[in-house]
Amino acid sequence: AGVRLAADGAQAADAEARDAFRREMIEGLSHRPRTLSPKWFYDAEGSRLFEEITRLPEYYPTRQEAALLRRVAPEWAKRFGPGAVLVELGSGASEKTRIVLNATSNLAAYVPIDISSTALQAAAKRIRADYPGLKVLPVVGDFEHLAPPSAEAGQGRRIGFFPGSTIGNLTPEAAVALLRSSREVLGKGSLFILGVDLVKSPEALVAAYDDAQGVTAAFNRNLLARANRELGMDFTPEAFAHAAVWNAEQSRIEMHLRATRSMTVHLDKLAFHLGEGETIHTESSRKFDEVSVKAMAEAAGWRLAAFEIGEAPSVALALLVA
Ligand code: AVJ
């Protein structure tokens, strides 16, 4: 019964996710400009392609942030105090986490939060094996709807951890809302380590999202292939051109899929007509500087205690105090 229930549970979660995917696909394609949430990039193939992106020469953020984290984690960990609880938003494979876990012996518990239950369980298993003294309390969830760590985490200072400049995927309003709810959930006296990508030359930014090997293009188009696989749609992914554009006014890189010919795509009984040249906006990656990070943090009730900029091509780590 246990196994069956678990299987049913996973199937129920998949069915729920598919309904959400269908709903957001209909809303997104009915919107002008057509738009889809970047959270739908990450099926198994999308996650594999993203891991490949992080190793591309043009895509600097992952390695630049890891180098910066190695530099600042020992210093910032001195503020954790004994029995601290590391709460990571969108934890994925928990690779960056190890840099923080290796920088301190003050952590009593680690609370990885991720939307993918399979990624979460696999990461929790590896972390438990490598850090036997650490309580690992995984939580399946969307980091925009945080729940407080369980009592099992103890009463130590909460340390929010949101690396990878993923906050850049959210609109400014949603980013402030996430930081505000994080502050409420993590509580008075908590800290928050936030990774952001920085404004730099449009050429360097566009190259990072439109690499010469076309891996990012494949990552972008996979969203359409996923819609075909999971929603029974009839997109022709190769009929869409990948585009990465720098939107200076919004200080963000935008990824689009542009129709190279007029077409009609179907979802159940619905038909969507796309004219030649029409785009689907699939992701925004906002680029910050210290002023915009300070304004965002303070709008959410945090104080910016430190802002460290890494080697060029630079990303930054911000330390927020509640
Ligand atoms: C994982 C959301 C931080 O926005 O840079 C990488 C995703 N998109 N290449 C980013 C991404 C295209 C990445 N984040």
Side-chain angles (χ1 to χ4, degrees):
V3 171
R4 192 174 53 73
L5 279 178
D8 293 354
Q11 281 156 355
D14 287 351
E16 198 179 304
R18 189 155 312 139
D19 290 346
F21 189 22
R22 176 180 288 105
R23 209 171 34 252
E24 291 192 27
M25 179 64 70
I26 294 168
E27 281 160 18
L29 291 180
S30 309
H31 190 269
R32 295 296 183 280
R34 326 275 183 151
T35 181
L36 292 174
S37 164
K39 75 182 175 194
W40 302 114
F41 281 139
Y42 301 94
D43 61 350
E45 176 60 4
S47 302
R48 186 190 67 75
L49 286 163
F50 175 64
E51 289 309 312
E52 230 183 289
I53 285 172
T54 64
R55 295 188 292 270
L56 288 167
E58 300 97 326
Y59 189 76
Y60 58 85
T62 308
R63 60 177 163 271
Q64 295 304 97
E65 182 180 74
L68 179 55
L69 198 50
R70 280 188 190 88
R71 172 153 69 86
V72 305
E75 187 54 37
W76 289 4
K78 289 177 187 147
R79 296 169 176 245
F80 291 3
V85 179
L86 186 69
V87 180
E88 183 170 1
L89 283 58
S91 52
S94 294
E95 286 312 310
K96 292 190 187 82
T97 325
R98 292 167 180 272
I99 299 172
V100 181
L101 297 179
N102 296 340
T104 175
S105 55
N106 271 336
L107 286 170
Y110 169 49
V111 180
I113 302 169
D114 199 281
I115 197 164
S116 155
S117 165
T118 37
L120 203 60
Q121 298 312 333
K125 191 159 171 278
R126 286 194 301 272
I127 297 288
R128 285 192 186 104
D130 296 345
Y131 299 87
L134 183 70
K135 250 183 270 176
V136 181
L137 308 166
V139 174
V140 180
D142 176 344
F143 51 61
E144 292 189 78
H145 304 94
L146 286 176
S150 70
E152 205 185 335
Q155 294 310 313
R157 187 194 303 277
R158 269 77 173 125
I159 318 291
F161 183 44
F162 193 30
S165 65
T166 299
I167 195 162
N169 270 181
L170 303 178
T171 62
E173 301 73 24
V176 169
L178 168 70
L179 290 175
R180 188 178 296 118
S181 68
S182 297
R183 188 183 178 288
E184 278 147 30
V185 162
L186 298 175
K188 195 96 193 76
S190 58
L191 300 177
F192 198 93
I193 298 173
L194 174 66
V196 294
D197 193 7
L198 297 178
V199 176
K200 50 181 72 60
S201 77
E203 295 74 23
L205 289 170
V206 168
Y209 291 85
D210 189 7
D211 63 283
Q213 297 169 61
V215 178
T216 307
F219 173 72
N220 203 6
R221 285 196 196 98
N222 174 63
L223 183 49
L224 305 180
R226 180 181 186 179
N228 291 351
R229 283 192 293 270
E230 296 188 13
L231 303 179
M233 293 188 75
D234 53 0
F235 280 107
T236 308
E238 49 283 357
F240 285 83
H242 166 71
V245 291
W246 172 239
N247 178 332
E249 196 245 333
Q250 304 275 346
S251 187
R252 71 189 191 195
I253 280 280
E254 296 177 2
M255 289 209 314
H256 293 262
L257 287 166
R258 188 178 51 249
T260 57
R261 54 174 166 74
S262 67
M263 63 181 78
T264 302
V265 292
H266 301 88
L267 171 52
D268 298 337
K269 298 208 177 340
L270 296 171
F272 299 94
H273 308 284
L274 288 160
E276 182 179 344
E278 196 166 351
T279 74
I280 304 173
H281 178 188
T282 55
E283 185 188 64
S284 292
S285 292
R286 190 164 156 224
K287 305 305 170 188
F288 295 87
D289 58 19
E290 182 164 357
V291 171
S292 59
V293 169
K294 187 170 188 295
M296 174 172 66
E298 290 176 352
W302 293 93
R303 178 169 62 80
L304 179 63
F307 189 78
E308 291 288 342
I309 295 178
E311 299 296 306
S314 301
V315 300
L317 286 168
L319 180 67
L320 313 183
V321 179

